[in-house]
Amino acid sequence: MKNIIPIFLIALSLSGCKKWLEESPKSVITTNLYYKTQQDAQSAVNGIYYFLYPPFTGGGRNYSYAMLELVTGEFRTVSEGNDLVNVYNLRQNSASPLLQQWFTAAYQGIEAANLVIANVPKISMDDAAKKAMVGEAKFLRAYYYYTLVNIFGDVPLKLKPTSQASDGLIGKSPVKTIYEQAIVPDLQDAEASGLPATPDGSGRVSTGAAKALLAKVYLSMAGFPVNEADKFALARDKAKEVIDGGDFHLFQSDGSLTWFDKLNNPAFDNKEENIFSINFGLDIVNNILPIELYPKGVSFNRNGYVNNDMGLLIPETSFLASYDPADLRRQENGFFYDTINVDGVKYNFPWSLYKFFDKSLLTNAPRSGKDFTLVRYADVLLTYAEAQNEADGGPGVNAYKAVNDIRSRAGLPPLSGLSQSGFRTAVWKERVWELCAENKAWYDIVRTHKIFDAVHGSFVDAVGFVLPSGATFQSNNLQFPIPLAEVQVNPLLK
């Protein structure tokens, strides 16, 4: 059987637009007729990005992105999607389309990356461009595997393209093996492949993104299930490289724009604090997540669209109360809001997420061109602070600066004089408050086996914790089941 690959049409040229975007696949072609030119190589690399979208664009009520928030105790949903309600109540269903969406998209992305890594080196083209393209593909393959091991645990490891149906009938590899044989070496190769330092407004993979993700990977490896404490030092050093590089910095308020306005403004996508994002573009590849996060019951009619079933994620009352009252992130139009004016009508509603609110929704709904950021500089700072504290037996000056830069922006006083354990808890809290609704809390639960008890403001063992839904977190809830359809096709996944 010959390899079959999708050819993705480029929606905008790379040289003349703010973002790189693409459309859905239009045709297929066998690899012996493809991978002939540099343009073929670039189109194939572009296609790997396509599989970042599905968990965040949903289908019906299937927003897989939301499932990783509903098990943290930080958010609930007023959506009518039964699968989301089941997740909120820890009723894990292996037949859920939420699971299938994560699993399928990741492995399709991995297969697309495998094809590039196997075939682009054979093309007669500029060597520097070739090396960078392969590095780009390796970063994306590493990212897809990183999501898989954190959601499903042990999964199949496949690093070569499929040539026959039996190639897909492979068993699961341990998480440690996948980190060591795929994720870490791929990110190291991407880092050394000559990619640009920053996304430069395009949204493509950069050297900074490779370093930042590698730091996060090392931090994950220091925790469960790998438990290699020496990785704290590697996470510390790699995050420090990003910080010292000076290519990224936290958004700051200036002029008429607050830093919150920059965080949810499409004009600031792929810049400053945003290291790596899923790229959207109004009327090209629309982001419908902002409208799904819109507060339920706030009415408007735009372009023939009438909102009706919103409220995908709503912050739990206990989670909101865990913020310091002086914290700007907790206040109106920080990360949350409970009032809005639409067409001269003021609406009040239960507190909702303002973090991803795209102001153009009030004109363009349900369409949005706002990116969803996957790696943010604030995460790098907190990764460094935690890793330095663990690697060196206590917090140093630079670790305090990293976390205090975030606290200062939030209007909070600096931390000082903490023990190693006290600093660890303080950093974990900042991760909860700063990175909420960005799918980071779930990854932290997986690696620490701890969960934030918002009522008492402390971290406790995840297993045995009673969530706001009333469901008790069990050991099997530390990972999601591999989708039933995959197990039925491949018995080795049982």
Side-chain angles (χ1 to χ4, degrees), residues 41 60 77 116 149 171 176 291 313 330 433 450:
T77 184
V116 167
V149 297
K176 183 177 186 291
I291 194 64
L313 288 179
R330 169 62 181 86
W433 295 324
K450 300 290 186 180

Side-chain angles (χ1 to χ4, degrees), residues 134-144 186-187 190 195 205-206 209-211 213 276 375:
V134 172
E136 206 169 348
K138 287 190 173 183
F139 173 94
L140 291 166
R141 183 169 70 177
Y143 174 80
Y144 289 127
D186 274 359
L187 290 175
L195 292 167
V205 173
S206 65
K211 290 178 181 292
L213 184 56
F276 181 63
V375 182

Side-chain angles (χ1 to χ4, degrees), residues 120-185:
V120 167
K122 304 173 187 176
I123 299 176
S124 178
M125 57 180 283
D126 178 77
D127 285 340
K130 180 189 299 184
K131 185 177 180 181
M133 288 182 190
V134 172
E136 206 169 348
K138 287 190 173 183
F139 173 94
L140 291 166
R141 183 169 70 177
Y143 174 80
Y144 289 127
Y145 270 122
Y146 187 51
T147 63
L148 285 169
V149 297
N150 276 280
I151 295 173
F152 300 105
D154 298 347
V155 293
L157 176 60
K158 187 173 182 295
L159 299 177
K160 293 182 179 180
T162 298
S163 60
Q164 55 189 1
S166 60
D167 288 348
L169 295 176
I170 54 179
K172 294 183 285 187
S173 291
V175 169
K176 183 177 186 291
T177 299
I178 296 172
Y179 273 120
E180 293 177 346
Q181 295 185 12
I183 299 174
V184 170

Side-chain angles (χ1 to χ4, degrees), residues 79-90:
S79 163
E80 295 177 1
N82 289 332
D83 287 293
L84 290 173
V85 173
N86 284 337
V87 169
Y88 178 67
N89 289 286
L90 295 181

